[in-house]
Amino acid sequence: MTDLTRLTAAELAEKIRTKETSAVEVTQSHLDRINQVDSAVHAFLHIDTEGALGAARAVDDGIASGQPPASPLAGVPLALKDVLTTKGVPTTCGSKMLEGWVPPYDATVTARLRAAGVVILGKTNMDEFAMGSSTENSAYGPSRNPWDTDRIPGGSGGGSSTALAAFEAPLAIGTDTGGSIRQPGAVTGTVGVKPTYGGVSRYGLVAFSSSLDQAGPCARTVLDAALLHEVIGGHDPLDSTSIDAPVPPVVAAAREGASGDLTGVKIGVVTEFSGDGYQPGVLRSFEAAVETLRGMGAAIVEVSCPNFTYALPAYYLINPSECSSNLARFDAMRYGLRVDDDGTRSAEEVMAATREAGFGAEVKRRIMLGTYALSAGYYDAFYGQAQKVRTLITRDFDAAFGKVDVLVSPTTPTTAFKIGERVDDPMAMYLADLCTIPANLSGTPALSVPSGLSDEDGLPVGLQVMAPALQDQRMYRVAAAFEASQDGLVIDRVGELEVA
Amino acid sequence: MAYDEVLSRFDPVLGLEVHVELNTNTKMFCGCRNEFGGEPNTQVCPTCLGLPGSLPVLNAVAVESAMRIGLALNCEIAEWCRFARKNYFYPDMPKNFQTSQYDEPIAFDGYLDLELDDGEIVRVGIERAHMEEDTGKSLHVGGATGRIHGAEHSLLDYNRAGVPLIEIVTKTIEGTGARAPEVARAYVTALRDLLRALGVSDVRMDQGSLRCDANVSLKPLGRKEFGTRTETKNVNSLRSVERAVRYEMTRQGAVLAGGGEIVQETRHFQEADGSTSAGRRKETSEDYRYFPEPDLVPIAPSREWVEKLRGTLPEMPWERRKRIQADWSLSDAEFRDLVNAGAVELVASTVDAGASSAEARSWWVSYLTQQANNREVELAELPITPAQVARVISLVAEGKLTNKLARSVVDGVLAGEGEPDEVVDKRGLAVVSDDGALTAAVDEALAANPDIAEKIRGGKVAAAGKIVGDVMKATKGQADAKRVRELVIERCTV
């Protein structure tokens, strides 16, 4: 019998639709897989067995009664990052601050998944409030990379990438503020997409850095990511920054790309993203990927984006500034953690004690950085200046996309590092997002597709493809073509997990 | 320090900040009802509770109201503006930042002309009018002051959180001298009338839908530099605005004259004795770490939209007053009395309901003003509507009530006995207009006074007065005296 957990989402949906299997059976096999391996990888913070089986049953009932499927992904299980609210299901954002909080409402992404008949298996682990590149900042312990459980699965969405790479779910949702979908995808050999800012609603996405946060699809194939993108994307009146335009035709682009022909496509290689700090095996994998793209008919040119060099420092001013304001609401007054409220302390004292106890070190670091950067007398030099850099980076992208259709680079400078290796060195941790941050600052779409394994450590490497705003389909086409050119999926080369 | 003495040494400088709650159906950034007085925490949702993940969506009607207020205050309307976050921690603020406008207000640089009690016109400059959201309400239980310090615990009601507010800030008001307190009151009054005419707010100071903070400082006569100012918060009636400014002037004058320094601080107005008391110190000015609100998109009202809104502005209160004064043919002095009595709009509405302006004016400025004074309320707060007054006037005109009976009907309405017609029925106040009954009463009176009857028959019509009086007595004043006189003469000439 076929192992249902090894199939793609598209294959599963087809088998459910044709009653070759049922949504309940598919869901149960993934729940079984989670039971079997999650203790080794810790992808999930919460497993919603009843909710998942209930949703699967509803899909099966619909099919039995002859109704057309709610979406091309009806009945397919999914792992949801714990930063999106789920009515009646705990949402912690990987923080002690929200331990036990059960939201009274669904995020728009959650609601669209439910409406599409997608089965939500549970909530995945993440760096606290999405701050980090390894899940080591989760208050509930790190997730582990299925390629090597001593290594990080990326972050902040390491739970989602782990769930995919451990075959616990064929689909996942991540959120990407500086690379939190793409970098975990790169280091686990899976596909991660950050859509155009405003392309997927942020309503119900617990805000970290509002002008940068973007939810997006994660999967093991480009087509699966595209199918999921079309389910969650599109205008939402509840999010003022949501774009009122049709979802780019990403599924059609993924299918077109699968033919492997990139004739007439102009691809720019960002010259700034190489050299010192890049692992040689990552660069070799990247160079080979570029040659592959050339071989499929694409025209390759080198493109310089000089201001990308300033992206990281600008990001680490804007992001903590917005974070310091967004996380102010966690004050013990209305929900979540409350400590030291013994009747003798003032509201202010309880707030301070709760924030001291409830936030981890990285969250506190960013709140302090942001509070400082926004303070009177520093605002212009820090936040104001960073916004100017942001404009310059957007201009670099505009100029580049005047010459080429998409840009490519390594997704992240190194393969998965060891758990504990960078926890005491925030700067080293921040460098993991060096190549991914520019797309967040400009609001343009970008994805990571596996480009193979690094020849020195045998770990997955990601190829980043970046496109202009609202042209998400371009990167899907290129990524699907690249994926089709490879000898099978990179993720299928992952070893079986050893479960204690 | 005596008020005159303050003025002999100092010039008062004012700055007034008025917060207006808009009467939109829904809140500023969510679909919750915007209504005063609901059960605590029943008009809330994820957005106005600031739940994790929630996002604001701007209320377009609130933006229109803000622009109409700006236009009515002769302001420029921004071609492009944004919201900002004002960051500070307070339990009644769900997100611990207030979504407000900072350096990019929707309306700026305007003015409002006020008329003082003696008819003098003063122009007050408007610095800006900007949009923001209201906070929730804290109820501090168990303390002596009702404030957070010393309270045993506090209760929070978020129904008000996210209610649309417009903050209107004046430029500094200088050179008003002894009239500064009056100018402050006249400004808030004029603003209230303007906002009421625009229909954008309930403008109820008692319910907090119009709130005034008064900044006051003194500078020695002849100096250019301003003195240190204090900000007196939440002054909750027009009269209090005047009292608070006057109190601060005398208090600050005494401090300065005694060689002391004014502390820059927030002060609380005490309604009971008209004083102000020290609140939060502002010497280390709070750093609100403003930055542009990333969850909302900029507002760029097209000039067509602005002009369309300008076209919706109603007749302004002062224009209306001029027109009404002409329509009613009143002298400046007569009209000012009407204005000072707070009766203009009431009279106008009574006229609109069908009464003559002379009758309407007479009712409101005499009998009803007396009633308001007796009850110690504003004229507008009397529980009688202009339509009810107009109905009473028409009953008199139809001969169904005498003036005396009419006052009794008004008393009945004020006592909550219902509409004028109901009061007439319940109190049995209709004029006795049944000629049969009146004739019988006249005959009876004539029979009881044969001497007088004889005189009348002899042509001495003036003698009829006594008979009329007796008939009126007999009918307990419910007869129409004129008709009674006619009947007396009729009966004596048959």
Short mmCIF file of all heavy atoms in Angstrom, two decimals, chain A residues 160-193:
data_model
loop_
_atom_site.label_atom_id
_atom_site.label_comp_id
_atom_site.label_asym_id
_atom_site.label_seq_id
_atom_site.Cartn_x
_atom_site.Cartn_y
_atom_site.Cartn_z
N SER A 160 7.11 24.54 10.82
CA SER A 160 6.43 24.25 9.56
C SER A 160 7.37 23.52 8.59
O SER A 160 6.96 22.55 7.94
CB SER A 160 5.93 25.56 8.92
OG SER A 160 4.79 26.03 9.63
N SER A 161 8.63 23.95 8.49
CA SER A 161 9.56 23.29 7.56
C SER A 161 9.87 21.87 8.05
O SER A 161 9.98 20.94 7.24
CB SER A 161 10.84 24.11 7.40
OG SER A 161 11.56 24.17 8.61
N THR A 162 9.95 21.72 9.36
CA THR A 162 10.20 20.39 9.92
C THR A 162 9.03 19.45 9.63
O THR A 162 9.23 18.29 9.25
CB THR A 162 10.42 20.50 11.45
OG1 THR A 162 11.58 21.29 11.68
CG2 THR A 162 10.60 19.14 12.09
N ALA A 163 7.82 19.95 9.79
CA ALA A 163 6.64 19.11 9.54
C ALA A 163 6.65 18.59 8.10
O ALA A 163 6.31 17.43 7.85
CB ALA A 163 5.37 19.90 9.82
N LEU A 164 7.06 19.45 7.16
CA LEU A 164 7.12 19.03 5.75
C LEU A 164 8.24 18.01 5.55
O LEU A 164 8.05 16.97 4.92
CB LEU A 164 7.38 20.25 4.85
CG LEU A 164 6.28 21.30 4.79
CD1 LEU A 164 6.77 22.52 4.00
CD2 LEU A 164 5.01 20.74 4.15
N ALA A 165 9.42 18.34 6.07
CA ALA A 165 10.60 17.50 5.82
C ALA A 165 10.50 16.17 6.56
O ALA A 165 11.13 15.18 6.15
CB ALA A 165 11.87 18.24 6.23
N ALA A 166 9.71 16.11 7.62
CA ALA A 166 9.54 14.86 8.37
C ALA A 166 8.30 14.11 7.88
O ALA A 166 7.90 13.12 8.49
CB ALA A 166 9.42 15.16 9.87
N PHE A 167 7.70 14.59 6.80
CA PHE A 167 6.50 13.97 6.21
C PHE A 167 5.34 13.87 7.22
O PHE A 167 4.54 12.95 7.18
CB PHE A 167 6.84 12.60 5.62
CG PHE A 167 7.79 12.73 4.44
CD1 PHE A 167 9.17 12.68 4.62
CD2 PHE A 167 7.30 12.96 3.16
CE1 PHE A 167 10.04 12.84 3.56
CE2 PHE A 167 8.16 13.11 2.07
CZ PHE A 167 9.55 13.05 2.28
N GLU A 168 5.28 14.87 8.10
CA GLU A 168 4.15 14.95 9.03
C GLU A 168 2.97 15.68 8.40
O GLU A 168 1.84 15.59 8.87
CB GLU A 168 4.56 15.67 10.32
CG GLU A 168 5.60 14.91 11.13
CD GLU A 168 6.10 15.72 12.29
OE1 GLU A 168 6.69 16.81 12.06
OE2 GLU A 168 5.91 15.28 13.44
N ALA A 169 3.27 16.46 7.36
CA ALA A 169 2.23 17.19 6.64
C ALA A 169 2.75 17.50 5.24
O ALA A 169 3.95 17.76 5.09
CB ALA A 169 1.88 18.49 7.37
N PRO A 170 1.88 17.48 4.24
CA PRO A 170 2.33 17.80 2.88
C PRO A 170 2.31 19.30 2.61
O PRO A 170 2.87 19.76 1.61
CB PRO A 170 1.31 17.08 2.00
CG PRO A 170 0.06 17.03 2.82
CD PRO A 170 0.49 16.97 4.27
N LEU A 171 1.62 20.04 3.47
CA LEU A 171 1.49 21.48 3.29
C LEU A 171 1.69 22.16 4.64
O LEU A 171 1.40 21.58 5.68
CB LEU A 171 0.08 21.85 2.80
CG LEU A 171 -0.39 21.37 1.44
CD1 LEU A 171 -1.87 21.70 1.26
CD2 LEU A 171 0.45 22.02 0.33
N ALA A 172 2.18 23.40 4.59
CA ALA A 172 2.29 24.17 5.83
C ALA A 172 2.14 25.64 5.49
O ALA A 172 2.30 26.06 4.34
CB ALA A 172 3.63 23.91 6.51
N ILE A 173 1.81 26.42 6.52
CA ILE A 173 1.76 27.87 6.38
C ILE A 173 2.89 28.44 7.24
O ILE A 173 3.11 28.01 8.37
CB ILE A 173 0.41 28.45 6.87
CG1 ILE A 173 -0.75 27.95 6.00
CG2 ILE A 173 0.46 29.98 6.89
CD1 ILE A 173 -0.80 28.51 4.60
N GLY A 174 3.61 29.39 6.66
CA GLY A 174 4.61 30.12 7.41
C GLY A 174 4.34 31.61 7.34
O GLY A 174 3.39 32.04 6.68
N THR A 175 5.13 32.36 8.06
CA THR A 175 5.09 33.82 7.90
C THR A 175 6.53 34.29 7.76
O THR A 175 7.43 33.73 8.39
CB THR A 175 4.42 34.52 9.10
OG1 THR A 175 5.16 34.23 10.29
CG2 THR A 175 2.98 34.09 9.26
N ASP A 176 6.72 35.29 6.93
CA ASP A 176 8.06 35.69 6.53
C ASP A 176 8.22 37.19 6.76
O ASP A 176 7.60 37.99 6.08
CB ASP A 176 8.25 35.33 5.05
CG ASP A 176 9.69 35.43 4.60
OD1 ASP A 176 10.33 36.46 4.91
OD2 ASP A 176 10.18 34.50 3.92
N THR A 177 9.02 37.55 7.75
CA THR A 177 9.25 38.96 8.07
C THR A 177 10.63 39.38 7.58
O THR A 177 10.83 40.52 7.14
CB THR A 177 9.13 39.16 9.60
OG1 THR A 177 7.86 38.68 10.02
CG2 THR A 177 9.29 40.62 9.99
N GLY A 178 11.58 38.43 7.63
CA GLY A 178 12.93 38.71 7.12
C GLY A 178 13.51 37.49 6.43
O GLY A 178 14.68 37.47 6.06
N GLY A 179 12.68 36.44 6.31
CA GLY A 179 13.16 35.20 5.70
C GLY A 179 12.60 33.96 6.37
O GLY A 179 13.01 32.84 6.07
N SER A 180 11.66 34.14 7.27
CA SER A 180 11.17 33.06 8.13
C SER A 180 10.42 31.95 7.42
O SER A 180 10.11 30.92 8.03
CB SER A 180 10.29 33.63 9.24
OG SER A 180 11.09 34.29 10.20
N ILE A 181 10.07 32.14 6.15
CA ILE A 181 9.54 31.03 5.35
C ILE A 181 10.67 30.46 4.49
O ILE A 181 10.85 29.24 4.40
CB ILE A 181 8.39 31.52 4.42
CG1 ILE A 181 7.14 31.83 5.24
CG2 ILE A 181 8.12 30.47 3.34
CD1 ILE A 181 5.99 32.40 4.42
N ARG A 182 11.46 31.35 3.86
CA ARG A 182 12.43 30.90 2.85
C ARG A 182 13.65 30.21 3.46
O ARG A 182 14.12 29.20 2.94
CB ARG A 182 12.85 32.11 2.00
CG ARG A 182 11.73 32.62 1.08
CD ARG A 182 12.00 34.02 0.59
NE ARG A 182 11.80 35.02 1.66
CZ ARG A 182 12.29 36.24 1.63
NH1 ARG A 182 13.05 36.65 0.63
NH2 ARG A 182 12.04 37.07 2.63
N GLN A 183 14.18 30.78 4.54
CA GLN A 183 15.37 30.18 5.14
C GLN A 183 15.07 28.79 5.71
O GLN A 183 15.84 27.85 5.46
CB GLN A 183 15.98 31.14 6.18
CG GLN A 183 17.24 30.65 6.86
CD GLN A 183 16.94 30.13 8.26
OE1 GLN A 183 15.79 30.04 8.67
NE2 GLN A 183 18.00 29.77 8.99
N PRO A 184 13.95 28.58 6.43
CA PRO A 184 13.63 27.21 6.87
C PRO A 184 13.43 26.27 5.67
O PRO A 184 13.82 25.10 5.73
CB PRO A 184 12.32 27.39 7.65
CG PRO A 184 12.34 28.82 8.10
CD PRO A 184 13.01 29.58 7.00
N GLY A 185 12.83 26.79 4.59
CA GLY A 185 12.67 25.97 3.39
C GLY A 185 14.03 25.54 2.86
O GLY A 185 14.25 24.36 2.55
N ALA A 186 14.96 26.50 2.79
CA ALA A 186 16.29 26.22 2.24
C ALA A 186 17.02 25.15 3.04
O ALA A 186 17.59 24.22 2.47
CB ALA A 186 17.11 27.51 2.19
N VAL A 187 16.99 25.26 4.35
CA VAL A 187 17.81 24.35 5.16
C VAL A 187 17.15 22.99 5.39
O VAL A 187 17.76 22.09 5.96
CB VAL A 187 18.23 24.98 6.52
CG1 VAL A 187 19.04 26.25 6.28
CG2 VAL A 187 17.02 25.25 7.41
N THR A 188 15.89 22.83 4.95
CA THR A 188 15.23 21.53 5.10
C THR A 188 14.94 20.88 3.76
O THR A 188 14.30 19.83 3.70
CB THR A 188 13.88 21.66 5.86
OG1 THR A 188 13.05 22.60 5.17
CG2 THR A 188 14.09 22.09 7.30
N GLY A 189 15.33 21.53 2.66
CA GLY A 189 15.08 20.94 1.35
C GLY A 189 13.62 20.99 0.93
O GLY A 189 13.13 20.12 0.22
N THR A 190 12.91 22.04 1.39
CA THR A 190 11.50 22.20 1.02
C THR A 190 11.30 23.55 0.34
O THR A 190 12.23 24.36 0.26
CB THR A 190 10.59 22.10 2.27
OG1 THR A 190 10.98 23.10 3.22
CG2 THR A 190 10.72 20.72 2.91
N VAL A 191 10.08 23.77 -0.15
CA VAL A 191 9.77 25.00 -0.88
C VAL A 191 9.08 25.98 0.06
O VAL A 191 8.16 25.60 0.79
CB VAL A 191 8.82 24.70 -2.07
CG1 VAL A 191 8.45 25.98 -2.82
CG2 VAL A 191 9.47 23.69 -3.01
N GLY A 192 9.52 27.24 0.06
CA GLY A 192 8.89 28.25 0.88
C GLY A 192 8.72 29.54 0.09
O GLY A 192 9.64 29.98 -0.57
N VAL A 193 7.52 30.10 0.19
CA VAL A 193 7.20 31.27 -0.64
C VAL A 193 6.76 32.45 0.23
O VAL A 193 5.84 32.31 1.05
CB VAL A 193 6.06 30.95 -1.64
CG1 VAL A 193 5.76 32.18 -2.50
CG2 VAL A 193 6.42 29.75 -2.49
#
